Amino acid sequence: MMIQPSQISRGSIPIAIRRGIRCEAAAVGPFTGRDPNVKKAGWLRQKAPQGIKYEEVKETLSRLNLKTVCEEAQCPNIGECWNGGGDGISTATIMVLGDTCTRGCRFCAVKTSRTPPPPDPMEPINTAMAVASWGVDYIVLTSVDRDDLPDGGSGHFAQTVNALKDLKPDIMVECLTSDFRGDLTAVHTLLHSGLDVFAHNIETVKRLQRIVRDPRAGEMELVCPVQVPFLNMLTASWIDINKRIA
């Protein structure tokens, strides 16, 4: 007996098996045009992260109780970055304000909660210490959304930038921020922190925003281009061409 995808529902296959019916369920999901019998390209597969430098970065982050988007978002390239890539200099993208987001975007693997733990007051100085030990001259800081905090976490973010600049004045700091719910006061707090590049995620095209993102997202793409250029500061707007609905 052949069951078509349109006939499959929760519990239907177990019932059929209990009745002794042989089921051959076809793959469920949208047709992508890819031949399922053709193997994926080898470069799509990443080896499990390992290596001396990888372990050193992991130990540093663990000891200082720091979170990274590399781990929390389950980035497949974590081994390459933490091991130093082509230049041999290890780096990671620090995720400040903890590892729990108050948003619930469908594509994201980061933990979510309406009431996450308060920010670690030692995180700014611990971040500066970790980054200084890596010997990098450019670092990206990002964060979860913290709608539970009055300023969206911009003050804590700014403290982290200040700590980095105090410990290593010549380092360039890019801040990949949340949208701060469109709060311009929070935006200005971070803009005047001493950062070098102000960045934000658009994530996807406007047509798909409310489908794949938390409904509260989407403010910052309007704020960033208008508010930042007059400060003679570099800006970056990121869009991911590989977002998928989980």
Side-chain angles (χ1 to χ4, degrees):
M1 176 181 179
M2 182 68 176
I3 296 179
Q4 298 300 320
S6 60
Q7 298 174 301
I8 297 176
S9 60
R10 292 182 183 274
S12 62
I13 291 180
I15 291 174
I17 292 175
R18 287 198 298 271
R19 292 176 178 174
I21 301 174
R22 178 173 172 269
C23 301
E24 297 178 5
V28 179
F31 177 68
T32 63
R34 187 181 72 85
D35 186 344
N37 297 315
V38 176
K39 290 185 177 181
K40 295 180 179 179
W43 51 265
L44 283 174
R45 301 180 183 277
Q46 292 287 345
K47 296 180 180 179
Q50 56 186 332
I52 296 176
K53 290 186 177 180
Y54 171 84
E55 294 299 334
E56 289 176 349
V57 171
K58 189 175 183 66
E59 189 280 328
T60 299
L61 294 168
S62 176
R63 174 167 45 84
L64 296 175
N65 192 31
L66 297 176
K67 309 301 179 183
T68 67
V69 71
C70 321
E71 296 173 296
E72 305 305 325
Q74 302 176 15
C75 179
N77 301 315
I78 185 173
E80 181 179 353
C81 295
W82 288 22
N83 277 314
D87 57 12
I89 300 177
S90 301
T91 189
T93 299
I94 301 292
M95 191 167 73
V96 301
L97 295 166
D99 64 353
T100 305
C101 187
T102 54
R103 305 281 176 88
C105 297
R106 298 178 66 188
F107 56 78
C108 188
V110 174
K111 292 187 295 185
T112 63
S113 172
R114 291 184 178 181
T115 56
D120 178 4
M122 293 300 296
E123 189 176 61
I125 186 61
N126 285 342
T127 296
M129 291 170 59
V131 173
S133 71
W134 297 336
V136 296
D137 55 12
Y138 192 104
I139 190 70
V140 179
L141 302 179
T142 190
S143 77
V144 291
D145 282 284
R146 291 299 300 259
D147 297 318
D148 60 312
L149 301 176
D151 67 349
S154 63
H156 186 91
F157 217 138
Q159 291 174 21
T160 307
V161 176
N162 292 333
L164 275 165
K165 290 292 188 176
D166 287 344
L167 199 59
K168 193 172 182 181
D170 59 337
I171 193 171
M172 289 193 70
V173 181
E174 175 181 333
C175 292
L176 180 56
T177 76
S178 64
D179 61 21
F180 301 121
R181 302 183 301 261
D183 181 354
L184 295 183
T185 300
V187 173
H188 290 162
T189 296
L190 192 52
L191 289 179
H192 294 282
S193 66
L195 81 170
D196 299 284
V197 181
F198 187 94
H200 70 113
N201 276 334
I202 296 175
E203 302 290 7
T204 187
V205 295
K206 185 176 182 179
R207 177 174 57 85
L208 298 177
Q209 288 281 338
R210 294 186 64 82
I211 297 176
V212 302
R213 299 186 77 186
D214 186 290
R216 291 166 291 180
E219 300 279 357
M220 194 52 121
E221 53 263 35
L222 301 178
V223 173
C224 182
V226 175
Q227 295 294 323
V228 180
F230 76 94
L231 292 176
N232 194 29
M233 184 180 297
L234 294 174
T235 64
S237 298
W238 298 100
I239 185 167
D240 195 325
I241 62 173
N242 193 37
K243 281 286 182 276
R244 66 185 184 277
I245 301 175

